[in-house]
Amino acid sequence: MEKIKMATPLVEMDGDEMTRILWQMIKDELLNPFIELNTEYYDLGLEHRNATDDQVTVDSAEATKKYGVAVKCATITPNAARMDEYDLKEMWKSPNGTIRAILDGTVFRTPIVVKGIEPCVRNWKKPITIARHAYGDVYKGVEMKIPAAGKCELVYTAEDGTEMRETIHNFTGAGIVQGQHNVNASIESFARSCFNYALDQKQDLWFATKDTISKKYDHTFKDIFQEIFDAEYKEKFDAAGIEYFYTLIDDAVARVMKSEGGYIWACKNYDGDVMSDMVSSAFGSLAMMTSVLVSPDGYYEYEAAHGTVQRHYYKHLKGEETSTNSVATIFAWTGALRKRGELDNNQALSDFADKLEKACIATIESGKMTKDLALITSLENVTVLNSENFIKEIRKTLEEIL
Ligand code: NAP
Ligand code: MG
């Protein structure tokens, strides 16, 4: 078979620890034999970030703006322990945070659904994708402990000095107070990322806030979504046969539990933080969760939702066998390759991405899987494979499909 060619490069962001090991295995076994892989390589491994004063992270994000599509391996976010372990010059920021700040996007997380790994919620048949607004609200909140009786106010001072004032509470004793903000520009780009991604996936978009109680703050989210939808997306949604559905957050939660899945759920920052953990654990395993950053300008960065699987890496370094699940990392590659294929009108590349995903799913459904899945599967007669042999089994299945 002739290898599939790629006209435009993908931005490849390599990473750390166990996922870096898997990254190379995936390329060797599942990509290079079938594709003339055309990537612009950036090493986001912590050692190289440290050597370049983290410039490599910025460069990789800029390259994503140039080429439109990136695939990223999990990376270490340094903490005090990592400062010593890697002898770092500085406690470099989270690469994902840096990339998101440059691309200004929304993160969409989707579970990979396979037979034999059943969601805890019986009626969930299709994946539920969570889109989390990643700016503001309680995450940029300012708080005070109120020691004793006194008055608390919100004060806005315009540039010309005029003031708006609102009493929060007349305290008669000790208490607490919190100030939150968001900005219209961020809500607008969140809305556009969500509408674009819904069109991309041909799935309905749900959005929910508590606008009945929060008549200005949450209501502004509702209004901005509706205005942008009516002005820019209504016709496109009609043409695609999909729906934008707004409801109250408590109603949304109740409906999600009764639904069969298969839609995108846009969440305010806190709701997304909480609900994404609920949805991912209910679908089975963090190792089966994909993640894509979609910018309002139409740049895409694909990755696995899990981290570098440090505990397995240390076993690997000691020469012990590991059984680390590579599926979410493989799906990061297939997501990026399919998008590259779409943008370049390269049908062969998109088809290959589909087939590689099918091969992953078929391999698991035939009972061959890594330990994390073996622990939760409803299948019988399961074969637990190590990291390398699991990828080799996927290759066998892939060769049968191709
Ligand atoms: P983690 O790497 O997601 O792993 C936590 C645990 O979840 C693992 O120890 C393992 O459980 C299980 N797990 C996760 N992925 C798995 C896989 N593919 N196959 C099998 N089991 C899997 O989270 P962490 O240990 O908290 O973080 C490690 C490093 O990753 C940190 O330095 C953190 O900064 C970084 N991180 C990066 C990203 C990112 O780049 N997007 C995201 C999160 C964390 P068992 O040990 O029980 O087998
Ligand atoms: Mg959370």
Side-chain angles (χ1 to χ4, degrees):
M1 195 188 97
E2 212 180 310
K3 286 195 194 184
I4 299 162
K5 297 200 172 44
M6 293 172 62
T8 323
L10 265 186
V11 178
E12 175 183 353
M13 305 169 175
D14 207 345
D16 289 299
E17 299 193 312
M18 200 60 211
T19 41
R20 189 181 179 97
I21 308 283
L22 298 178
W23 196 258
Q24 196 56 52
M25 289 181 190
I26 291 167
K27 284 171 69 178
D28 291 345
E29 284 290 329
L30 302 176
L31 303 174
N32 283 325
F34 308 101
I35 306 173
E36 263 178 39
L37 210 54
N38 179 3
T39 71
E40 195 163 290
Y41 180 85
Y42 292 85
D43 183 1
L44 267 55
L46 186 51
E47 278 169 20
H48 194 242
R49 273 183 277 150
N50 191 52
T52 61
D53 292 339
D54 209 21
Q55 184 60 38
V56 65
T57 307
V58 175
D59 292 346
S60 72
E62 292 298 339
T64 306
K65 284 187 173 173
K66 182 172 166 196
Y67 296 115
V69 189
V71 55
K72 181 179 170 292
C73 180
T75 47
I76 292 169
T77 298
N79 56 16
R82 302 295 197 169
M83 293 290 289
D84 295 337
E85 185 183 353
Y86 285 83
D87 192 18
L88 301 179
K89 295 186 239 176
E90 261 182 57
M91 203 186 283
W92 307 110
K93 288 192 193 131
S94 145
N96 289 44
T98 302
I99 294 165
R100 197 163 57 214
I102 294 171
L103 300 180
D104 172 30
T106 299
V107 173
F108 296 82
R109 276 178 157 215
T110 310
I112 300 157
V113 176
V114 297
K115 288 193 201 84
I117 313 292
E118 314 299 342
C120 305
V121 181
R122 263 180 291 129
N123 42 284
W124 286 359
K125 303 284 180 237
K126 299 176 201 158
I128 297 169
T129 296
I130 295 230
R132 173 180 170 190
H133 185 211
Y135 177 82
D137 304 349
V138 70
Y139 302 85
K140 294 264 182 205
V142 179
E143 309 186 325
M144 260 188 221
K145 281 192 169 197
I146 305 299
K151 179 162 128 181
C152 254
E153 290 178 292
L154 283 178
V155 184
Y156 160 74
T157 313
E159 283 180 336
D160 69 6
T162 50
E163 279 185 2
M164 277 199 291
R165 219 168 253 277
E166 199 70 59
T167 300
I168 299 169
H169 192 63
N170 280 306
F171 284 93
T172 55
I176 42 179
V177 69
Q178 180 184 62
Q180 293 186 23
H181 83 278
N182 222 299
V183 292
N184 289 11
S186 174
I187 302 167
E188 286 160 11
S189 81
F190 173 50
R192 289 197 176 90
S193 293
C194 290
F195 291 132
N196 285 338
Y197 196 65
L199 285 169
D200 211 70
Q201 299 296 303
K202 299 216 170 21
Q203 286 186 335
D204 291 346
L205 178 71
W206 294 20
F207 182 45
T209 73
K210 195 71 187 175
D211 66 274
T212 48
I213 298 297
S214 173
K215 291 192 167 61
K216 292 191 176 126
Y217 198 103
D218 276 20
H219 215 291
T220 299
F221 279 82
K222 176 183 179 181
D223 292 343
I224 288 177
F225 266 69
Q226 195 63 50
E227 281 156 24
I228 292 179
F229 179 71
D230 291 341
E232 300 171 26
Y233 291 95
K234 180 153 190 347
E235 282 166 23
K236 291 180 197 161
F237 269 52
D238 287 344
I242 58 171
E243 194 186 328
Y244 168 57
F245 172 61
Y246 178 87
T247 187
L248 276 176
I249 185 69
D250 30 359
D251 181 47
V253 169
R255 284 171 187 261
V256 164
M257 295 309 283
K258 301 260 175 185
S259 77
E260 63 164 35
Y263 48 85
I264 297 159
W265 183 11
C267 291
K268 285 182 65 202
N269 208 347
Y270 178 83
D271 298 337
D273 185 349
V274 176
M275 292 304 163
S276 66
D277 285 333
M278 186 191 75
V279 168
S280 75
S281 84
F283 268 105
S285 169
L286 186 57
M288 295 290 279
M289 198 63 142
T290 61
S291 170
V292 54
L293 174 72
V294 181
S295 88
D297 304 309
Y299 311 126
Y300 292 77
E301 183 237 323
Y302 294 84
E303 65 176 326
H306 61 76
T308 60
V309 211
Q310 182 182 18
R311 202 181 66 79
H312 296 207
Y313 181 58
Y314 279 90
K315 281 178 73 181
H316 171 82
L317 287 183
K318 281 194 268 172
E320 291 171 29
E321 192 165 78
T322 59
S323 180
T324 315
N325 188 339
S326 45
V327 169
T329 306
I330 297 171
F331 271 62
W333 275 100
T334 52
L337 291 169
R338 185 186 300 105
K339 178 54 75 179
R340 185 76 278 161
E342 274 170 35
L343 295 176
D344 296 354
N345 280 318
N346 186 344
Q347 191 63 41
L349 193 61
S350 298
D351 288 348
F352 176 82
D354 291 343
K355 285 174 185 163
L356 179 49
E357 291 185 357
K358 283 206 184 87
C360 292
I361 291 168
T363 304
I364 297 169
E365 291 181 348
S366 77
K368 295 175 184 132
M369 58 188 77
T370 44
K371 193 177 157 196
D372 56 306
L373 297 182
L375 290 171
I376 57 171
T377 187
S378 58
L379 297 178
E380 283 161 24
N381 301 322
V382 164
T383 313
V384 181
L385 298 168
N386 66 30
S387 308
E388 199 175 356
N389 286 339
F390 179 58
I391 290 174
K392 288 193 167 140
E393 280 301 326
I394 294 171
R395 173 150 179 193
K396 276 191 212 155
T397 318
L398 175 64
E399 282 175 342
E400 284 162 21
I401 296 177
L402 284 174

